[in-house]
Amino acid sequence: MAQQSLHSTEFGQGEKIIVLLHGFPESKDVWRRLTPLLQEDFRVLCPDLPGAGNSPFEGAQLSVEDMARALADTLQDKGIHQPIVLAGHSMGGYVALAFADLFPEMLAGLSLVHSSCHSDSEEKILNRRKSIRLLEKGGKEVFVREMIPNLFGAAAKEKAPDLIQEQIKRGMDMPVQSMIRFYEAMIARPDRCRVLEQAPFPVQIIAGKEDNLIPVKESMAQARLPNRSFVSALAAGHMGMLETPQQVADDLRQFARYCFETA
Ligand code: MLT
């Protein structure tokens, strides 16, 4: 893939940099409730992954490693050479793990937000292939309307239906070709639990007790892999940064402070 700097928005300033990578089917906007809570303490960078939001991508194929390299190029273009704290939501976490594998020296800390170091199971791959066929047949709206509500926990469904509707609208903004490329990238990604086991930097695992995609039990098991890990189990589904933003910001702030102090 020809590397291209990722479009990103920035909040706050200073030498302590947190990069937030969105998941699927999302853009950098998914961090909108979190960034106001972090920008006083850190410079916060929210990129759009290739083919999402305002980052264009015309290629036929994309891998999580391509996306990790695009992030490395983006940091270089911005003159950022010091280790950062990198947080990734779900698919963004798969990219963050690839980045940690390729550029460990660039990390002061790695935070997996509702994400996993495992590769896709056979069942997951079959389901993704089914979704790709639906998308190819023009079923984007059906796909998005089915998928998004399932990402939220009971409290959001009951008290914040607007949040879910808004996320459906934002999910619809992603072009079908990008959705398919992201799914192919997720199918092809390898298991990266070794990256957690060998991490020279601290690792944070943020899980949702009602997450239907990444079971909280799986997250708790992965929190035992690194030498130094921070762990939180939120009263939320798969979208903690929208469902319980204050809690996620507090946890991330505490983790990042530790990372920068000990880097
Ligand atoms: C995400 O939330 O980024 C994706 O749904 C993750 C996945 O499908 O594995």
Side-chain angles (χ1 to χ4, degrees):
M1 181 183 115
Q3 302 300 332
Q4 194 168 19
S5 214
L6 300 172
H7 182 271
S8 31
T9 43
E10 290 199 29
F11 307 85
Q13 47 196 318
E15 287 300 300
K16 294 173 183 162
I17 299 174
I18 300 186
V19 176
L20 304 174
L21 291 181
H22 65 81
F24 171 96
E26 298 163 6
S27 71
K28 59 185 176 321
D29 297 347
V30 83
W31 301 110
R32 62 191 175 278
R33 303 187 82 184
L34 209 64
T35 45
L37 306 171
L38 293 173
Q39 65 184 20
E40 287 211 353
D41 298 296
F42 309 100
R43 178 175 167 198
V44 185
L45 235 93
C46 302
D48 279 327
L49 290 169
N54 293 317
S55 287
F57 183 67
E58 302 299 336
Q61 275 188 334
L62 186 65
S63 66
V64 290
E65 294 79 16
D66 289 336
M67 294 191 255
R69 287 188 203 100
L71 173 60
D73 287 355
T74 306
L75 295 175
Q76 188 152 15
D77 288 351
K78 288 181 178 293
I80 296 170
H81 303 295
Q82 72 272 38
I84 57 162
V85 168
L86 179 59
H89 173 237
S90 203
M91 179 182 77
Y94 312 153
V95 176
L97 279 160
F99 186 94
D101 207 2
L102 294 169
F103 312 105
E105 72 288 354
M106 280 297 297
L107 288 188
L110 170 69
S111 177
L112 297 181
V113 184
H114 310 297
S115 195
S116 169
C117 61
H118 291 301
S119 54
D120 277 355
S121 65
E122 287 301 313
E123 189 191 352
K124 185 99 198 186
I125 291 175
L126 285 176
N127 284 333
R128 288 204 205 276
R129 294 249 173 259
K130 231 162 84 188
S131 300
I132 290 174
R133 285 198 293 277
L134 174 65
L135 288 166
E136 285 170 341
K137 282 193 297 193
K140 176 166 121 172
E141 184 159 0
V142 176
F143 171 73
V144 170
R145 284 194 180 279
E146 267 179 21
M147 177 190 185
I148 302 282
N150 190 41
L151 302 179
F152 289 83
K157 283 188 177 131
E158 198 186 320
K159 294 192 198 118
D162 297 357
L163 204 57
I164 301 175
Q165 287 310 313
E166 189 179 346
Q167 211 47 37
I168 290 175
K169 223 172 109 232
R170 289 175 192 251
M172 286 299 292
D173 287 342
M174 182 173 281
V176 168
Q177 275 319 311
S178 297
M179 289 184 173
I180 295 174
R181 275 191 304 254
F182 284 137
Y183 257 23
E184 295 287 1
M186 288 192 261
I187 289 172
R189 78 187 194 283
D191 181 288
R192 283 205 158 91
C193 292
R194 162 191 54 82
V195 173
L196 296 187
E197 281 162 6
Q198 299 170 0
F201 40 75
V203 173
Q204 180 178 43
I205 304 282
I206 296 184
K209 288 183 194 156
E210 299 170 48
D211 191 334
N212 292 319
L213 255 67
I214 312 284
V216 65
K217 247 173 128 176
E218 184 180 314
S219 296
M220 294 304 125
Q222 291 179 29
R224 286 196 285 274
L225 300 179
N227 263 335
R228 287 177 292 167
S229 63
F230 284 53
V231 60
S232 333
L234 309 171
H238 187 66
M239 304 296 284
M241 62 287 178
L242 290 174
E243 295 174 76
T244 55
Q246 186 68 55
Q247 184 68 53
V248 175
D250 290 347
D251 293 346
L252 200 48
R253 185 185 305 104
Q254 191 190 15
F255 173 67
R257 277 189 183 147
Y258 172 82
C259 293
F260 290 122
E261 273 163 23
T262 57

